[in-house]
Amino acid sequence: MACDFYQLATPGVQGLHPYQPGKPVEELERELGISNSIKLASNENPMGPSPVAMAAVQAALGESCRYPDASGYKLKQALSERYGISPDTITLGNGSNDVLELIGRAFIVPGDEVIYSQHAFVVYMLVAQSTGATSVVVPAREWGHDLDAMAAAITDKTRIIFLANPNNPTGTWFSGQALQAFMAKVPDDVVVVLDEAYLEYVTEADYLSGVQLQAGFPNLVVTRTFSKAFGLAALRIGYAVANPAITDLLNRVRQPFNVNIPALEAATAVLGDTNYLQRSVELNRTGMVQLEQGLTQLGVNWIPSVGNFISVDCGRDAAPVYAELLQEGVIVRPVANYQMPQHLRVTIGLPEENSRFLTAFASVLQRL
Ligand SMILES: *Cc1c(COP(=O)(O)O)cnc(C)c1O
């Protein structure tokens, strides 16, 4: 009889389901035989990549027969200069999802508890599940993290707490003061992972990066990415900032060559392209206003967001709305798997993409 390989997998892995990414444009067009569709489904940068970064990629391709610099020296220097962080606090990852996994693998044994919020980024659940941890999901407050309730959920078994600021898919955020008050309640042997994937978009005066608090809280690990505001999602590069002891542990778990040469070069280059980041953030700001105004005109509610996306309340089951938008060549993201069955998450696009979404959305809501 054939072996049942599912029974061989660890209990954690048996409970996993494959990650559902945003639908690629090519796939939709192949399936429906249409063209000219737009994707506002994965919080990608709509401007296209930085030309400076792409020139660096071109130049780096000639080194493709070589292994990359496993220490990521140049990029760490650039990050160090830009953010005032020491190179020995940086762990580079194949996207920040990679470092989120490294943190799980470094610290979790089956039976440990991992705390995160309802509606939080799905990768925290995946890390907990795949390492055999028990997920403690704390109910959200007004869609955002309820930090008091999360602190109250800590037990002797808690090993990691995942926070996202801002959170995806809700776009909610919390202040530096709230973060500091939270950290003061967390025992120092519980690792707090603060995911700052959308940090660059946040303009709120009360917002504070966790990096500013790490001197006082050595158990605070901050993760960041080049996938969003820096426009390098395809190249897969992100990093963690943590105290040197945690960084040393993460680098033991890390595959030696987890970040490739074009990614290292592009990330280093885009850090120097300040104009690109400014334009990304400005485009996002105006696009957010455009979408909010359009949604107001349609009488549709949304969750106020400080990210590069907005979760829109369809006022009904969102699945048929999503399906009809696909027919119109507009790909957005269903978030029913985040316990948000009435919402669709829409990435801020170029002005014409935002208009196209608004027009398609109005027409779909009317005919459904
Ligand atoms: C997009 C996103 C990431 C980044 O993932 P990468 O692996 O760096 O592309 C991390 N956290 C959150 C909350 C995100 O939305």
Side-chain angles (χ1 to χ4, degrees), residues 153-175:
I154 296 170
T155 72
D156 292 348
K157 290 186 174 166
T158 307
R159 183 88 308 137
I160 293 179
I161 303 173
F162 285 108
L163 304 176
N165 197 26
N167 183 47
N168 166 21
T170 56
T172 49
W173 68 286
F174 48 82
S175 70

Side-chain angles (χ1 to χ4, degrees), residues 239-253:
Y239 59 99
V241 188
N243 89 55
I246 292 180
T247 304
D248 176 50
L249 291 165
L250 298 182
N251 277 289
R252 295 180 193 199
V253 184

Side-chain angles (χ1 to χ4, degrees), residues 16-183:
L16 283 176
H17 299 279
Y19 178 78
Q20 291 287 334
K23 198 176 190 59
V25 161
E26 296 74 21
E27 185 180 305
L28 176 71
E29 297 191 342
R30 201 164 60 230
E31 285 171 4
L32 296 186
I34 59 174
S35 58
N36 266 321
S37 46
I38 61 167
K39 182 185 177 202
L40 301 173
S42 299
N43 300 345
E44 294 149 339
N45 194 318
M47 277 194 333
S50 147
V52 180
M54 290 306 94
V57 168
Q58 279 294 337
L61 287 176
E63 293 297 306
S64 293
C65 57
R66 307 277 175 205
Y67 283 104
D69 171 14
S71 72
Y73 177 81
K74 270 204 312 190
L75 177 56
K76 286 183 187 171
Q77 286 298 320
L79 286 168
S80 171
E81 276 165 36
R82 166 116 184 191
Y83 297 113
I85 51 183
S86 165
D88 66 356
T89 64
I90 303 170
T91 306
L92 300 179
N94 197 266
S96 59
N97 283 342
D98 186 25
V99 291
L100 293 171
E101 274 210 353
L102 296 180
I103 298 163
R105 281 174 48 208
F107 290 107
I108 297 170
V109 294
D112 285 345
E113 289 176 0
V114 169
I115 298 176
Y116 51 86
S117 173
Q118 182 190 18
H119 313 307
F121 186 46
V122 68
V123 169
Y124 316 144
M125 179 274 283
L126 294 176
V127 169
Q129 176 76 29
S130 64
T131 53
T134 302
S135 284
V136 176
V137 185
V138 175
R141 192 167 59 190
E142 289 169 31
W143 302 108
H145 292 9
D146 183 342
L147 292 177
D148 291 334
M150 292 181 81
I154 296 170
T155 72
D156 292 348
K157 290 186 174 166
T158 307
R159 183 88 308 137
I160 293 179
I161 303 173
F162 285 108
L163 304 176
N165 197 26
N167 183 47
N168 166 21
T170 56
T172 49
W173 68 286
F174 48 82
S175 70
Q177 249 185 344
L179 174 61
Q180 195 155 9
F182 174 79
M183 288 306 301

Side-chain angles (χ1 to χ4, degrees), residues 96 100 121 124 163-166 193-198 221-223:
S96 59
L100 293 171
F121 186 46
Y124 316 144
L163 304 176
N165 197 26
V193 180
L194 179 62
D195 181 341
E196 297 184 346
Y198 301 95
V221 179
V222 173
T223 64

